[in-house]
Amino acid sequence: MTPDWSHDDKSRQAFQRSLRECVIRDLSNGSRLVFENQVSPKFEKENGRPFQNRQEIKAEMRKEPFYQAHLSIQRAAQELMWASVTYSLDRQIDGMMAKAKQSSDTLGSLTINPDMPIPKYIDSLDIHCMPGGYTTDLCDGDISAGAIYDKGSYMYGSGRGGPYGDRSGQSIVNYLKREHPDFAPKRILDMGCATGNNTVPFCDAYPDADVHGIELGAALLRYGHARTESLGKAIHFSQQNAEQTNFEDESFDLIVSCIIFHETSRKALPRIIAETRRLLKPGGLMVHLEAGQFENFDLWRQTVFDAETYNNNEPFWSTYRDMDLEAVIAEAGWSDGTAHLHLEPFGHAPVTSSNKSQKNMLGFWFMVGQK
Amino acid sequence: MTETTKVRVPQTAKGHRPTFFEDPTNDRIMAMMTSMITEMWVMRERLDTVEALAAKKGVFLEEEIEQFEPDPDRAEERERMRQELLSRVFYVFQEEAEDIARGDTPESYEDAINTSADR
Ligand SMILES: C[S@@+](CC[C@H](N)C(=O)[O-])C[C@H]1O[C@@H](n2cnc3c(N)ncnc32)[C@H](O)[C@@H]1O
């Protein structure tokens, strides 16, 4: 089922990666210089005070030709990254679908629910500019969104997700093995699992557990199912909304998610955390992984991240990053002290209270809780 | 499957495409240029493969091009070549960034012209 990339496809994809490194590194560095050396001092001189928030910075920076060119090229690079995948998939999708249909499902399972309503927040825009988005379902047996996502998300992360695109899942496993070495979950759920790349590490870490993955996009699930079977792993995939699932109360020992919060909504997010609580057995653990909130970054980084909302089809990104997650946790039924936020830095830097409060630390933020 | 029932994989993203310059024509030119440089690389890399194969054998078959996988040294060399191509095409931003880092401005330029004649 894996796509055949031609010689030219591979060149195009390798080039998009180099281009991204160039755009992100050089143009971002240039824009930072424009901000720090020119725009910021000028603003201070004229207003007698420094910038107070990212909205002010954005308003001034958007007038700067260098920054305009930076954003314009960054947007084009994002589109061309997907194009380096989708044009070629269009040529081979029929053959790939036929192969995916033949794939055995001796290990895990796949349950598609065509009647599940697709929430507005996931399909009003194609998030990350991924053509067709997560939920386009072209025909019975369609796997195209999965094929686009699998390759595209690898490129999007400049390969940092690893060859299996499972770095986020792996980091949750590492955390659990370190903090809860005796924890032996029997039923595990990954919410918003897409193609299951980040679900697979749980099969390896807890070989005796039943591993489930739920997701809104049918074509993501079909592809994920075929991929997982071909890897020889057992995952039970079903098309369900994490706000309200059909699983029974207290039926999971471990519930995780990888970077889904910022793609939901103000209403859906608390529901997902409440649903997590309903599904967990007493003593069970939740670990939801996300990118950092705005308060963890300086104003310039905030401005850079905020640009994603407007220029990379991330409608909820900025709102999410400003939300008071502690309050959301409490409202969703996690009483005092049963859930908290935790920073897991990239690499193996130990978490200390001093680096935790440091701005601009790069890492995954976990929402951890024990019922 | 007949041509009419062929599934079409989406090629564009839903959501209004933002532009950043006062004149959106500039955004289109940026997008075309970014795509053009990609295609230029695709051609250049193909040629590199041809050269590598030709050197190896004297003759080559087309499927050999499709199957060609660069060895680690060549892969590394290609990454270097891509970076060089990018810095050539995007040189103008490097220039501007260095101007800013140095504190060069139109005024400082004007000033240099006006004062250097008397130096
Ligand atoms: C950025 S992707 C991450 C996918 C996957 N966890 C990974 O790490 O590759 C976010 C995913 O969450 C899914 N999602 C968002 N809201 C959801 C919901 N309410 N229920 C189920 N899935 C959801 C999206 O469809 C999308 O596939």
Side-chain angles (χ1 to χ4, degrees):
Chain A
M1 184 199 53
T2 39
D4 276 328
W5 306 112
S6 69
H7 183 275
D8 291 359
D9 291 333
K10 287 187 221 161
S11 313
R12 211 168 265 121
Q13 289 164 359
F15 188 80
Q16 288 315 319
R17 179 164 169 182
S18 311
L19 177 66
R20 293 179 72 75
E21 303 275 297
C22 159
V23 165
I24 286 158
R25 194 192 55 220
D26 295 348
L27 293 181
S28 302
N29 287 344
S31 289
R32 177 187 278 275
L33 278 172
V34 172
F35 170 69
E36 285 173 355
N37 294 9
Q38 299 181 339
V39 172
S40 192
K42 182 162 167 256
F43 184 91
E44 274 194 57
K45 206 168 144 206
E46 283 168 8
N47 296 276
R49 62 168 177 87
F51 281 114
Q52 268 160 3
N53 56 50
R54 61 175 190 272
Q55 289 79 5
E56 283 180 353
I57 298 177
K58 178 181 171 185
E60 293 307 312
M61 283 299 287
R62 286 294 290 257
K63 296 176 196 155
E64 294 295 319
F66 190 101
Y67 191 57
Q68 291 169 351
H70 165 192
L71 294 183
S72 189
I73 292 170
Q74 185 161 315
R75 168 74 186 205
Q78 180 73 0
E79 292 164 343
L80 289 167
M81 177 192 84
W82 295 112
S84 77
V85 173
T86 54
Y87 278 54
S88 167
L89 282 179
D90 190 52
R91 289 197 304 267
Q92 34 180 330
I93 194 68
D94 291 331
M96 287 174 64
M97 285 194 315
K99 279 198 195 133
K101 271 187 187 150
Q102 285 162 12
S103 106
S104 59
D105 59 340
T106 44
L107 301 167
S109 62
L110 173 67
T111 312
I112 298 296
N113 175 11
D115 299 327
M116 186 203 70
I118 303 286
K120 211 64 224 124
Y121 53 77
I122 209 74
D123 86 336
S124 63
L125 299 175
D126 286 349
I127 294 178
H128 304 145
C129 302
M130 174 174 134
Y134 295 122
T135 52
T136 292
D137 193 8
L138 299 169
C139 62
D140 181 35
D142 181 27
I143 54 159
S144 53
I148 297 171
Y149 181 79
D150 191 16
K151 186 69 185 174
S153 59
Y154 176 79
M155 297 174 70
Y156 195 17
S158 294
R160 281 185 279 272
Y164 294 97
D166 63 356
R167 183 193 190 200
S168 308
Q170 203 63 58
S171 78
I172 297 180
V173 165
N174 293 346
Y175 169 83
L176 288 170
K177 294 280 178 184
R178 190 184 69 227
E179 302 294 325
H180 301 270
D182 299 327
F183 184 50
K186 291 202 183 55
R187 276 188 105 220
I188 301 173
L189 174 63
D190 181 10
M191 293 175 152
C193 64
T195 52
N197 299 29
N198 281 307
T199 323
V200 171
F202 297 94
C203 302
D204 296 332
Y206 302 108
D208 295 331
D210 261 349
V211 180
H212 293 255
I214 58 170
E215 167 56 51
L216 298 169
L220 290 172
L221 288 166
R222 290 191 200 98
Y223 179 94
H225 173 61
R227 175 186 182 273
T228 308
E229 292 292 322
S230 77
L231 291 173
K233 311 287 175 191
I235 297 177
H236 300 286
F237 289 101
S238 56
Q239 187 177 16
Q240 297 200 56
N241 187 333
E243 295 171 57
Q244 188 179 15
T245 68
N246 64 15
F247 297 115
E248 290 186 6
D249 290 1
E250 308 193 344
S251 52
F252 288 95
D253 305 285
L254 172 63
I255 299 183
V256 301
S257 72
C258 295
I259 45 172
I260 88 162
F261 283 0
H262 79 274
E263 292 177 4
T264 60
S265 72
R266 223 192 269 277
K267 264 195 206 153
L269 177 54
R271 286 192 191 151
I272 292 172
I273 301 170
E275 179 70 355
T276 306
R277 194 170 169 78
R278 179 183 77 79
L279 295 178
L280 276 181
K281 291 180 196 166
L285 291 175
M286 79 165 167
V287 186
H288 293 294
L289 173 153
E290 253 298 348
Q293 299 280 101
F294 276 138
E295 62 182 18
N296 305 120
F297 297 97
D298 64 30
L299 284 182
W300 172 245
R301 290 248 185 177
Q302 290 185 22
T303 309
V304 171
F305 289 142
D306 186 46
E308 293 286 304
T309 295
Y310 294 94
N311 310 332
N312 196 20
N313 288 5
E314 284 272 19
F316 186 50
W317 173 284
S318 290
T319 311
Y320 167 74
R321 283 178 178 250
D322 262 341
M323 275 171 83
D324 178 357
L325 290 182
E326 309 276 356
V328 175
I329 295 175
E331 273 161 42
W334 295 83
S335 56
D336 260 10
T338 56
H340 66 279
L341 301 173
H342 161 85
L343 172 63
E344 189 78 0
F346 292 153
H348 293 287
V351 192
T352 62
S353 44
S354 62
N355 72 20
K356 212 176 147 170
S357 54
Q358 203 178 308
K359 290 245 188 245
N360 298 336
M361 270 288 285
L362 290 179
F364 291 125
W365 283 89
F366 292 172
M367 181 184 287
V368 188
Q370 180 154 32
K371 188 164 157 186
Chain B
M1 248 187 205
T2 62
E3 198 47 44
T4 45
T5 57
K6 159 122 188 43
V7 164
R8 303 307 322 211
V9 174
Q11 304 291 347
T12 59
K14 181 156 73 173
H16 177 72
R17 185 177 198 280
T19 54
F20 304 95
F21 295 99
E22 270 103 75
D23 180 352
T25 302
N26 285 325
D27 289 277
R28 295 188 188 115
I29 293 170
M30 286 290 178
M32 288 193 288
M33 189 206 66
T34 314
S35 180
M36 211 164 75
I37 184 190
T38 310
E39 296 312 309
M40 205 173 107
W41 165 252
V42 171
M43 231 157 65
R44 178 70 185 80
E45 181 164 318
R46 196 169 182 92
L47 186 62
D48 182 56
T49 301
V50 172
E51 285 168 0
L53 285 168
K56 210 161 94 188
K57 290 213 174 185
V59 293
F60 49 83
L61 299 167
E62 211 208 320
E63 64 229 53
E64 284 176 69
I65 296 182
E66 292 304 337
Q67 285 153 11
F68 183 81
E69 287 290 339
D71 59 35
D73 284 350
R74 185 171 288 273
E76 204 175 295
E77 174 61 9
R78 284 183 178 184
E79 176 57 27
R80 195 199 57 71
M81 285 157 66
R82 282 196 294 270
Q83 293 291 344
E84 183 186 321
L85 176 60
L86 283 166
S87 42
R88 285 178 189 278
V89 176
F90 289 87
Y91 77 100
V92 65
F93 298 104
Q94 187 61 26
E95 290 234 356
E96 281 189 44
E98 286 182 14
D99 277 357
I100 296 163
R102 277 191 301 262
D104 289 350
T105 60
E107 294 74 33
S108 72
Y109 186 76
E110 189 79 9
D111 188 56
I113 292 179
N114 293 339
T115 57
S116 62
D118 303 327
R119 272 198 199 118

